[in-house]
Amino acid sequence: MARLVRRGEARWMWLGDPDRPTLINVVFWVVLLATVGDHMLRPAETLYSVLFAINIVVVMGLWLVLPWRPAPRYRFIPLLFLPATIALGLTGSYGTHLLLTLIGTASIAFVHGMRTAVAVLAGMLAFIVAGTLLFDRTMQEALLQAGVVGVFAIFVLGMTSAILEARLRRAEAQALLERVRELAVAEERARMGAEMHDSIGHHLTVIKVGLENAERYRERRPDAAWQEVRQAKEVTAEALADARRWVRALRPLALDGRVGSAALEQLAASFDGTGLSVTFEVEGRERPLDPDVELVLYRVLQEGLTNALRHSEARQVHGRLTFGEDRVTLVINDDGKGGKRDGRDGAGGFGLPSLAERTRALRGVLTAGDAEGGGFELRAELPAGTGAGPRPGVEVRR
């Protein structure tokens, strides 16, 4: 599964995780403080106090990195958080920790799905019954305690199910709106394509007629012939400028409304579900880029991800966008077979020649080939503004 993870965000996801319900976050800290306070007010042996303190630290640490959306690298955390909260009842809590256990069950539902959460809940209730009987309580008391926990757990899972359903509907609505927007843009671009055909076609017709006249006048009226050539040259410049304006207008749909790293993140996220694990990070102070530079960076990342998916048998791809003082660099690494895959070297296929021409036109440097640690690396270095960069060129490592 392809998943975009910005470095720093994954590491400190608890600081601003948009997927974590605010109410659950508040309830967790209130209940945790209540659990600690309740334990401190009751007499307890030193050993149990130490175990309880360690247990609290473990629960807090797991909470800080607890995911609230399917995340391959963190799927195991909810499965550790739940038993850690249950253990509070054994190390010194007297029931106040049960809300934390319910929160742990909700986290499993968010990350692993409702079926897994229901199965875990059934096991937890069986554990509560067995544990109650182990402390010489009656079956009635055990069933009563498990019933109370079960009722609250069902309520929590019901709320969780509603949140997951709302997320699904919101994602579907956003996808529908995006599709409508794309169709509208596609219709507009079809109209623009027709206008571009008429505009450039007119220029080419004028150039053709002018050159034909120059050919007829070249012997009898050489001055007039040269005049036709000069006019054809001027019209050619106008046609070229017109073509460039149209090309800029017909930028990729994924770039519309997005600039810089936001467009690259959107592209990386589009590989979700392909089997690739995609990470992306930004280094340096981000600033606006020239539209042509931005478009080339987009195409380089697109090429790197597509190659990793189709040819390299890669499982992981990492992209890094670095902003320097006057240069911006995009590096895409995969853990696949490298440049000799499918009998082709780093210079052949994969659309690299086209990328090379685009990079060279912007006075940038494109390198492609085997990475030092294995896999394949595609690197583009371009001017961060409209000024000229260092020596232009394209280099392919073999």
Side-chain angles (χ1 to χ4, degrees):
M1 178 180 182
R3 183 69 175 170
L4 177 66
V5 181
R6 277 178 83 92
R7 291 198 170 183
E9 291 179 357
R11 195 175 300 166
W12 305 108
M13 62 192 338
W14 60 277
L15 287 176
D17 186 358
D19 296 322
R20 174 176 293 170
T22 303
L23 180 60
I24 291 181
N25 195 34
V26 173
V27 169
F28 169 81
W29 291 109
V30 171
V31 174
L32 186 70
L33 291 175
T35 301
V36 173
D38 182 65
H39 177 80
M40 295 177 63
L41 293 176
R42 297 175 183 268
E45 298 181 4
T46 303
L47 177 60
Y48 278 98
S49 295
V50 172
L51 293 176
F52 181 78
I54 295 174
N55 202 164
I56 286 292
V57 171
V58 170
V59 170
M60 291 176 58
L62 291 174
W63 174 259
L64 297 181
V65 293
L66 191 65
W68 293 90
R69 187 179 291 273
R73 295 176 57 187
Y74 301 93
R75 288 176 65 87
F76 68 95
I77 295 180
L79 301 178
L80 296 178
F81 179 80
L82 180 61
T85 59
I86 295 176
L88 288 173
L90 303 176
T91 58
S93 177
Y94 295 89
T96 54
H97 69 289
L98 290 178
L99 281 177
L100 301 179
T101 301
L102 297 179
I103 291 176
T105 306
S107 174
I108 291 178
F110 277 106
V111 177
H112 294 274
M114 292 300 298
R115 291 184 179 180
T116 302
V118 171
V120 170
L121 175 61
M124 184 177 66
L125 294 179
F127 176 81
I128 291 175
V129 172
T132 305
L133 295 176
L134 187 63
F135 285 95
D136 297 329
R137 302 292 181 88
T138 65
M139 177 61 74
Q140 182 179 2
E141 291 176 325
L143 293 177
L144 178 61
Q145 185 171 355
V148 172
V149 174
V151 169
F152 281 102
I154 292 174
F155 175 74
V156 170
L157 290 182
M159 293 184 61
T160 302
S161 178
I163 294 175
L164 291 174
E165 184 69 17
R167 284 183 179 179
L168 178 61
R169 295 291 174 260
R170 182 176 62 184
E172 291 176 349
Q174 290 177 345
L176 181 60
L177 289 174
E178 183 68 15
R179 180 59 178 163
V180 171
R181 188 189 69 82
E182 289 183 1
L183 290 175
V185 173
E187 182 179 357
E188 174 65 14
R189 289 184 173 179
R191 181 189 65 80
M192 292 171 64
E195 293 182 1
M196 180 175 63
H197 176 270
D198 294 340
S199 173
I200 297 180
H202 169 73
H203 285 105
L204 293 177
T205 300
V206 172
I207 294 171
K208 178 177 179 296
V209 172
L211 293 178
E212 289 176 347
N213 289 337
E215 188 177 18
R216 289 200 307 268
Y217 298 158
R218 67 185 180 197
E219 294 181 354
R220 293 179 300 166
R221 300 169 56 189
D223 292 339
W226 282 114
Q227 178 64 26
E228 292 288 347
V229 170
R230 285 191 293 270
Q231 291 179 356
K233 182 178 178 181
E234 294 174 357
V235 175
T236 300
E238 294 176 4
L240 182 58
D242 201 11
R244 286 174 175 170
R245 285 194 296 270
W246 284 113
V247 169
R248 288 190 179 185
L250 295 172
R251 303 172 74 203
L253 284 173
L255 280 175
D256 288 345
R258 304 178 180 92
V259 294
S261 63
L264 301 183
E265 289 177 358
Q266 179 68 19
L267 175 60
S270 69
F271 279 71
D272 188 19
T274 62
L276 287 177
S277 176
V278 183
T279 58
F280 184 78
E281 63 176 321
V282 179
E283 295 181 353
R285 184 176 60 85
E286 184 169 358
R287 55 189 181 276
L289 298 173
D290 183 274
D292 292 334
V293 171
E294 182 187 352
L295 181 57
V296 168
L297 292 175
Y298 183 91
R299 292 304 189 194
V300 170
L301 179 59
Q302 186 178 50
E303 186 70 15
L305 293 174
T306 302
N307 291 347
L309 179 63
R310 293 181 179 176
H311 306 293
S312 72
E313 299 180 4
R315 297 178 63 92
Q316 295 183 345
V317 181
H318 178 68
R320 183 177 70 254
L321 182 66
T322 304
F323 287 85
E325 292 184 359
D326 59 350
R327 309 287 285 175
V328 59
T329 304
L330 176 64
V331 181
I332 302 99
N333 293 98
D334 65 50
D335 61 352
K337 297 186 299 184
K340 298 298 181 182
R341 52 186 178 246
D342 296 337
R344 288 178 277 185
D345 60 23
F350 314 137
L352 292 180
S354 175
L355 282 176
E357 291 298 327
R358 294 187 181 194
T359 306
R360 181 165 49 201
L362 296 175
R363 306 196 67 179
V365 177
L366 179 71
T367 61
D370 292 343
E372 293 181 359
F376 193 77
E377 180 181 284
L378 186 59
R379 177 189 181 94
E381 184 177 354
L382 294 156
T386 57
R391 64 172 184 85
V394 177
E395 173 186 340
V396 178
R397 299 195 308 272
R398 297 181 182 272

